């Protein structure tokens, strides 16, 4: 694997360095000390140490209906046809901003293309966003003027329960802006097939449970947002935003199982039902004040308080005697309070910019739980504090960003209290090799707190003799990450080769252990010794005609990963992650095809495949209207596979297929209208409270 990765990186280096040096109209940056660019319309892309800056020519601006269409043309981004949102071709979480303020998909749609000045694509996010997303996309727009904009969108499958719908409206008058949004995502599938096999030795006897189940499952996710913004240029900005997240999910499954104990065979039947629901009201307050021409102070407060209800019931019995093998009932009600506060200051020096801040996030959860272990009430608190400071600058062709942080993780449960301070440095170095080639290096160290379900003491029955539970004694894992990135672009190519290495100490690992309480095995969590992941990611786009008549986007990531458990066992896995997109646009018509070959990646005690893709959809724009038709998972259902590792005490495998998705045909229509311009706040802080705690 090491030889393969080294050879690929060497060959790619020969290829990109042998390209002709394309001269472009660029501004002289030799006297610029800050990491920013003077963007000319003739320049398509400018690469910096932590971001790329894109501009758009007149033709691109005229073709697009809104800013979302422009984002789709970036080599690193694509339109996900299933969610109808912009995602990174490399995967991971993306955060979208408009003039520095966190923006939803609907807000991006509300920006007319003529208002877009440039787009900043951070593949190395600044400190204030680094813990929330792998990539950050910031849309910079023109000055503010009075105006209004509104629109609506709907996509639905013709033969199954699949609906994405949304509506938005913004109105600006003087220094005041009002915004209203609504979105709905509904899934209702009645034909999900699941095959699960548990094979293990227990008390000197061989057990096997071969289960086949059919589920009816779905969810409904709604979001309502109301915003008020007041912006006084070069003085202050204030925004109050009220969000309401409404969510419910369900799953009802029935099936049969062949249960084997040595040579003895039994026919079993079963049902497994579960569901949860919550309504999250969230208040987000933001205030920014210009102290002088070089200093600015910002404060952001986000809070939410709500209840979550989670239920699970399952039963397996012997046929035909109806004797119960197990009965599992779990009822969990949580009262959850979340808070995030951040204070930040920026100062401009001649040599660069200094950004400093303090963020605190807290989640307090009161649990009322009834499960296999009986009834219990307990309270947990997850607290994280983060002090950070970073300085960015540029000297000739050399740019840099140096950061230092201090992170405190304080997790308290009924069984344990974990408290630790960690020093979190970060170094980013960049060098412009030629006008269209650059080399970047990044190195960082940061902790990751365990998630709430991993820390939970809840117990759930999975199969005969098999339960699942969390581990309240988990410690945070420590991540040391390094990347060396080479970038090349011209009219036809936009190419990146990233050599990466990630070392994780005290890695959180899921595994099976003998369970003394219930007399079988328990799937739980531990802090393993360490984990390593290294490889090379080759990504980019190719335009054979130099325009959007045909665009080929691809990501190939040969990777090797290892994990060493707490007992010293070494787990290894190699894979070639991949993703391909073909896009064509001509006048008002566009078509996109996406596909991949799923691969197994390491996830604790298991190897899991990523979701398969085989989608095609087409769109036609007519003035303020857009019409879409597409087929998702052509000739195949969406499917997900899991298998245990040879080191596991329980040999487990699972194959899930959502048959409703097979060759799913979807139609969509949208309408967008704007008049004038709207106020957009250049916000420096963006935070989000913790998600609902469910098991």
């Amino acid at each position: 694997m090491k030889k393969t990765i080294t050879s690929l990186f060497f060959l790619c280096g020969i290829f990109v360095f042998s390209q002709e040096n394309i001269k472009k109209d660029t501004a002289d940056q030799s006297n610029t000390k800050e990491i920013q660019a003077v963007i000319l319309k003739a320049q398509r892309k400018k690469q910096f140490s932590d971001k790329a800056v894109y501009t758009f020519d007149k033709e691109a601006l005229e073709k697009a209906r809104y800013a979302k269409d422009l984002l789709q043309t970036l080599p690193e981004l694509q339109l996900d046809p299933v969610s109808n949102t912009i995602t990174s071709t490399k995967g991971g979480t993306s955060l979208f901003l408009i003039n520095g303020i966190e923006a939803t998909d609907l807000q991006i749609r509300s920006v007319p293309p003529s208002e877009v000045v440039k787009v900043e694509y951070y593949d190395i996010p600044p400190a204030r966003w680094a813990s929330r997303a792998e990539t950050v996309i910031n849309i910079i727009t023109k000055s503010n003027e009075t105006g209004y904009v509104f629109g609506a969108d709907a996509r639905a499958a013709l033969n199954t329960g699949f609906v994405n719908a949304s509506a938005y409206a913004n109105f600006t008058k003087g220094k005041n802006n009002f915004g209203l949004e609504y979105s709905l995502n509904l899934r209702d599938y009645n034909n999900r097939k699941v095959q699960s096999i548990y094979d293990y030795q227990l008390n000197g006897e061989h057990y096997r449970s071969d289960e086949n189940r059919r589920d009816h499952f779905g969810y409904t996710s709604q979001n309502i947002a109301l915003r008020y913004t007041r912006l006084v240029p070069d003085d202050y900005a204030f925004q109050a935003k009220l969000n309401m997240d409404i969510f419910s999910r369900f799953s009802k499954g029935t099936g049969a199982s062949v249960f084997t104990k040595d040579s003895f065979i039994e026919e079993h039947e079963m049902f497994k039902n579960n569901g949860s629901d919550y309504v999250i009201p969230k208040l987000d307050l933001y205030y920014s004040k210009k102290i002088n021409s070089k200093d600015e102070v910002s404060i952001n407060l986000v809070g939410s308080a709500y209840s979550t209800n989670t239920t699970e019931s399952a039963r397996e019995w012997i046929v035909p005697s109806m004797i119960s093998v197990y009965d599992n009932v779990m009822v969990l009600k949580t009262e959850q309070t979340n808070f995030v506060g951040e204070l930040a200051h920026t100062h401009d020096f001649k040599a660069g910019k200094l950004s400093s801040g303090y963020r605190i996030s807290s989640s307090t959860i009161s649990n009322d739980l009834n499960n296999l272990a009986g009834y219990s009430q307990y309270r947990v608190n997850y607290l994280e504090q983060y002090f950070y400071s970073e300085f960015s600058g540029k000297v000739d062709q050399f740019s840099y960003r140096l950061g230092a942080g201090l992170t405190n993780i304080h997790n308290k449960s009924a069984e344990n209290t974990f408290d630790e301070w960690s020093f979190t440095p970060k170094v980013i170095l960049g060098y412009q090799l030629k006008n269209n080639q650059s080399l970047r290096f990044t190195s960082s160290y940061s902790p990751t707190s365990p998630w709430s379900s991993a820390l939970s003491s809840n117990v759930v029955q999975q199969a005969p003799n098999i339960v699942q539970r969390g581990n309240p004694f988990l410690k945070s894992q420590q991540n040391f990450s390094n990347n060396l990135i080479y970038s090349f672009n011209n009219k036809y190519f936009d190419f990146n080769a990233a050599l990466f290495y990630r070392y994780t100490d005290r890695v959180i690992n899921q595994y099976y252990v003998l369970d003394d309480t219930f007399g079988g095995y328990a799937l739980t969590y531990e802090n393993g010794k360490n984990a390593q992941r290294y490889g090379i990611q080759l990504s980019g786009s190719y335009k054979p005609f130099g325009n959007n008549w045909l665009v080929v986007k691809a990501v190939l990531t040969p990777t090797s990963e290892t994990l060493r458990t707490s007992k010293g066992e070494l787990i290894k896995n190699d894979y070639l992650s991949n993703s391909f997109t073909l896009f064509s646009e001509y006048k008002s018509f566009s078509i996109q095809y996406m596909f991949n070959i799923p691969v197994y990646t390491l996830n604790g005690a298991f190897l899991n495949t990523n979701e398969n893709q085989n989608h095609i959809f087409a769109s036609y724009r007519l003035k303020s209207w857009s019409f879409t038709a597409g087929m998702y998972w052509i000739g195949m259902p969406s499917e997900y596979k899991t298998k245990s590792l040879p080191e596991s005490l329980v040999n487990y495998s699972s194959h899930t297929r959502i048959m409703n998705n097979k060759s799913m045909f979807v139609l969509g229509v949208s309408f967008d209208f704007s008049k004038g311009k709207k106020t957009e706040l250049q916000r420096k802080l963006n935070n989000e409270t913790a998600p609902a705690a469910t098991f």
Side-chain angles (χ1 to χ4, degrees):
M1 186 68 188
K2 292 181 179 178
K3 293 181 178 179
T4 302
I5 293 172
T6 303
S7 301
L8 283 169
F9 191 72
F10 177 73
L11 289 173
C12 292
I14 293 175
F15 171 75
V16 295
F17 274 100
S18 64
Q19 301 298 313
E20 179 183 357
N21 183 20
I22 306 299
K23 295 295 183 180
K24 295 187 178 182
D25 295 328
T26 57
D28 183 8
Q29 299 292 314
S30 58
N31 294 323
T32 304
K33 302 299 182 181
E34 185 180 343
I35 301 184
Q36 66 181 39
V38 179
I39 301 298
L40 302 180
K41 281 297 179 183
Q43 181 181 318
R44 169 67 174 163
K45 177 182 180 180
K46 181 68 176 177
Q47 182 68 60
F48 299 100
S49 62
D50 59 348
K51 67 182 177 183
V53 177
Y54 291 91
T55 56
F56 306 91
D57 57 24
K58 183 180 179 181
E59 182 182 1
L61 295 174
E62 290 177 347
K63 283 185 177 181
R65 290 179 57 219
Y66 34 61
K68 184 176 176 179
D69 289 339
L70 295 176
L71 295 182
Q72 186 180 349
T73 65
L74 268 60
E76 297 92 347
L77 300 177
Q78 64 187 5
L79 180 66
D80 178 7
V82 179
S83 64
N84 194 28
T85 58
I86 299 294
T87 60
S88 171
T89 57
K90 302 175 184 178
T93 304
S94 297
L95 178 66
F96 293 89
L97 316 171
I98 300 176
N99 292 328
I101 180 174
E102 185 173 348
T104 64
D105 180 76
L106 292 177
Q107 286 177 269
I108 297 172
R109 279 181 53 190
S110 70
V111 178
S114 59
E115 300 303 303
V116 177
V117 177
K118 60 183 178 180
V119 173
E120 298 175 332
Y121 176 86
Y122 290 89
D123 56 353
I124 307 173
R128 61 181 181 268
W129 298 314
S131 62
R132 296 190 53 202
E134 284 82 4
T135 56
V136 174
I137 299 92
N138 186 25
I139 304 169
I140 307 298
T141 65
K142 295 179 182 177
S143 59
N144 316 307
E145 293 184 13
T146 298
Y148 61 88
V149 58
F150 60 87
D153 178 274
R155 288 192 181 192
L158 300 184
N159 57 349
T160 190
F162 175 94
V163 177
N164 291 336
S166 61
Y168 66 91
N170 282 291
F171 175 70
T172 300
K173 185 174 183 180
K175 299 179 177 64
N176 304 295
N177 170 260
F178 301 88
L180 178 64
E181 297 177 14
Y182 173 77
S183 64
L184 166 69
N185 298 100
L186 182 146
R187 305 291 186 269
D188 191 344
Y189 298 139
N190 61 7
N191 192 9
R192 177 174 64 177
K193 296 181 179 180
V194 183
Q195 181 183 21
S196 300
I197 298 175
Y198 294 87
D199 193 293
Y200 52 92
Q201 294 286 136
L202 183 64
N203 299 323
E205 296 175 307
H206 176 250
Y207 290 82
R208 180 182 174 90
S209 179
D210 192 341
E211 172 188 318
N212 285 276
R213 191 174 73 248
R214 177 172 172 171
D215 294 346
H216 177 199
F217 83 102
Y219 65 84
T220 302
S221 175
Q222 301 177 80
N223 177 265
I224 304 171
L226 179 64
R227 296 185 315 277
Y228 167 71
T229 304
R230 179 170 175 82
L231 175 63
V232 180
D234 298 320
D235 188 4
Y236 73 89
F238 170 77
Q239 182 182 79
K241 181 166 63 174
L242 179 62
N243 275 327
M244 186 76 72
D245 290 321
I246 306 170
F247 180 83
S248 64
R249 66 169 178 85
F250 72 92
S251 177
K252 299 178 180 179
T254 58
S257 173
V258 177
F259 182 74
T260 304
K261 180 180 178 182
D262 288 333
S263 59
F264 177 72
I265 300 176
E266 284 182 342
E267 298 289 335
H268 292 183
E269 290 184 354
M270 71 190 66
F271 73 82
K272 291 187 177 182
N273 302 331
N274 61 72
S276 65
D277 62 82
Y278 54 79
V279 177
I280 305 178
K282 189 186 308 174
L283 181 62
D284 185 341
L285 301 176
Y286 173 82
Y287 179 77
S288 178
K289 175 69 175 177
K290 282 270 189 182
I291 300 175
N292 52 49
S293 61
K294 295 185 177 181
D295 293 272
E296 184 175 4
V297 175
S298 304
I299 186 171
N300 182 211
L301 303 173
V302 186
S304 61
Y306 57 97
S307 299
T308 300
N309 298 297
T310 305
T311 61
E312 181 167 323
S313 61
R315 181 172 178 257
E316 186 169 326
W317 61 91
I318 302 172
V319 178
S321 67
M322 298 295 292
I323 297 175
S324 180
V325 177
Y326 69 80
D327 284 280
N328 174 50
V329 176
M330 188 272 289
V331 179
L332 173 65
K333 182 176 181 180
T334 64
E335 300 290 337
Q336 187 165 343
T337 302
N338 300 321
F339 171 77
V340 178
E342 185 171 4
L343 177 65
H345 170 259
T346 61
H347 179 82
D348 293 326
F349 294 93
K350 286 185 178 181
K353 176 179 286 187
L354 178 66
S355 301
S356 303
Y358 167 73
R359 181 171 67 242
I360 181 173
S361 60
S362 173
S363 294
T364 301
I365 306 171
S366 296
N367 296 279
D368 192 322
L369 175 65
N370 195 340
N371 63 7
L372 291 173
Y375 177 76
S376 63
Q377 287 183 318
Y378 62 96
R379 186 183 180 92
V380 295
N381 180 259
Y382 308 121
L383 176 69
E384 184 170 322
Q385 300 179 79
Y386 179 41
F387 298 86
Y388 63 88
S389 183
E390 60 181 15
F391 186 84
S392 57
K394 190 174 189 298
V395 180
D396 297 327
Q397 302 302 313
F398 177 75
S399 56
Y400 59 91
R401 197 174 88 204
L402 307 176
L406 191 62
T407 301
N408 171 241
I409 294 176
H410 182 91
N411 296 331
K412 184 178 181 180
S413 66
E415 294 89 352
N416 185 46
T417 298
F418 174 77
D419 186 273
E420 184 177 70
W421 290 87
S422 301
F423 177 61
T424 54
K426 190 167 190 176
V427 176
I428 302 171
L429 306 175
Y431 186 77
Q432 195 75 24
L433 299 170
K434 297 179 181 179
N435 288 340
N436 62 341
Q437 299 182 44
S438 65
L439 191 65
R440 296 178 290 156
F441 172 76
T442 174
S443 180
S444 63
Y445 182 80
S446 62
T448 301
S449 179
W451 45 99
S452 59
S453 61
L455 289 167
S456 172
S457 57
N458 192 15
V459 182
V460 177
Q461 189 88 40
Q462 298 290 307
N465 302 318
I466 306 290
V467 299
Q468 180 179 350
R469 55 180 167 82
N471 179 4
F473 297 92
L474 284 177
K475 300 178 180 179
S476 66
Q477 60 183 26
Q478 306 284 342
N479 309 301
F480 179 55
S481 181
N482 297 273
N483 298 273
L484 180 63
I485 308 168
Y486 172 81
S487 300
F488 166 83
N489 72 285
N490 61 17
K491 183 179 180 180
Y492 303 98
F493 289 94
D494 193 297
F495 174 81
N496 291 280
L499 190 65
F500 60 88
Y501 172 76
R502 183 183 180 93
Y503 178 87
T504 303
D505 192 35
R506 295 192 316 218
V507 61
I508 297 174
N509 175 44
Q510 195 176 29
Y511 72 127
Y512 285 102
V513 295
L514 281 170
D515 185 64
D516 297 332
T517 304
F518 299 99
Y521 288 101
L523 179 63
T524 187
Y525 297 87
E526 68 164 0
N527 283 111
K529 291 187 176 181
N530 59 67
Q532 297 183 72
R533 187 165 62 90
Y534 58 89
I536 181 172
Q537 185 173 78
L538 309 174
S539 63
S541 67
Y542 172 55
K543 299 180 178 181
F545 305 107
N547 53 34
N548 287 335
W549 287 356
L550 178 62
V551 183
V552 181
K553 298 181 180 181
V555 180
L556 292 172
T557 313
T559 305
S560 182
E561 55 186 352
T562 62
L563 185 148
R564 192 170 292 277
T565 68
S566 60
K567 295 181 179 180
E569 296 176 328
L570 183 64
I571 300 170
K572 302 178 69 175
N573 181 50
D574 296 333
Y575 62 91
L576 177 60
S577 178
N578 60 91
S579 175
F580 305 93
T581 302
L582 300 177
F583 176 79
S584 179
E585 183 181 46
Y586 180 73
K587 294 184 178 180
S588 298
F589 180 80
S590 65
I591 186 168
Q592 179 171 307
Y593 174 64
M594 303 172 61
F595 73 100
N596 70 353
I597 302 173
V599 295
Y600 281 100
T601 58
L602 190 61
N603 184 17
F606 307 105
L607 291 169
N608 297 334
T609 60
N610 53 317
E611 186 179 76
N612 55 316
Q613 293 182 343
N614 191 29
H615 316 315
I616 187 169
F617 67 101
S619 297
Y620 179 76
R621 304 187 186 101
L622 181 63
K623 296 182 179 180
S624 296
W625 293 87
S626 178
F627 304 92
T628 303
M631 182 173 287
Y632 307 151
W633 290 286
I634 303 170
M636 64 179 69
S638 58
E639 63 178 355
Y640 317 87
K641 297 178 181 179
T642 299
K643 60 182 180 181
S644 59
L645 297 157
E647 294 82 1
S648 176
L649 294 176
V650 176
N651 184 11
Y652 170 77
S653 65
S654 175
H655 185 195
T656 301
R657 294 172 295 162
I658 304 177
M659 305 307 296
N660 302 81
N661 282 338
K662 183 178 180 180
S663 300
M664 185 173 68
F665 185 67
V666 174
L667 291 177
V669 60
S670 68
F671 175 80
D672 300 271
F673 181 81
S674 63
K675 183 177 180 180
K677 306 172 185 177
K678 62 190 181 307
T679 299
E680 292 294 349
L681 172 64
Q682 187 165 356
R683 175 169 162 172
K684 305 300 182 183
L685 304 177
N686 302 277
N687 289 292
E688 183 65 73
T689 56
T694 59
F695 190 79

